[in-house]
Amino acid sequence: MKVVIERDRCTSCSDCVLSVPEVFDLDDRDAKVVLLQIHPSEDLRPNVERAVDDCPTNVIHLVEE
């Protein structure tokens, strides 16, 4: 599983950070999402999928490799 974000469309709602703080954070400069892990472990999959589903602007995507 690979996480891809469209950072330029992020609205800084931080739902993803609340769902999976091990994978997502907000940049201190512009408060947009940053990835801490591009390839998170499978045990984080349910939370990452929740972050994808909960993103109001649909900027988070999962790519199966």
Side-chain angles (χ1 to χ4, degrees):
M1 156 178 66
K2 178 179 179 181
V3 180
V4 178
I5 57 172
E6 297 175 64
R7 194 171 186 282
D8 58 321
R9 293 183 44 226
C10 176
T11 59
S12 308
C13 74
S14 76
D15 287 350
C16 57
V17 178
L18 296 173
S19 292
V20 202
E22 304 92 337
V23 176
F24 303 102
D25 199 2
L26 294 182
D27 190 305
D28 291 336
R29 292 172 293 155
D30 61 6
K32 292 189 181 232
V33 66
V34 291
L35 286 174
L36 302 176
Q37 297 184 48
I38 295 172
H39 297 281
S41 62
E42 281 297 317
D43 63 316
L44 293 175
R45 180 181 286 275
N47 292 345
V48 172
E49 288 176 344
R50 184 175 321 112
V52 170
D53 292 341
D54 290 347
C55 180
T57 53
N58 298 312
V59 301
I60 305 169
H61 310 284
L62 286 183
V63 177
E64 298 301 331
E65 298 182 302

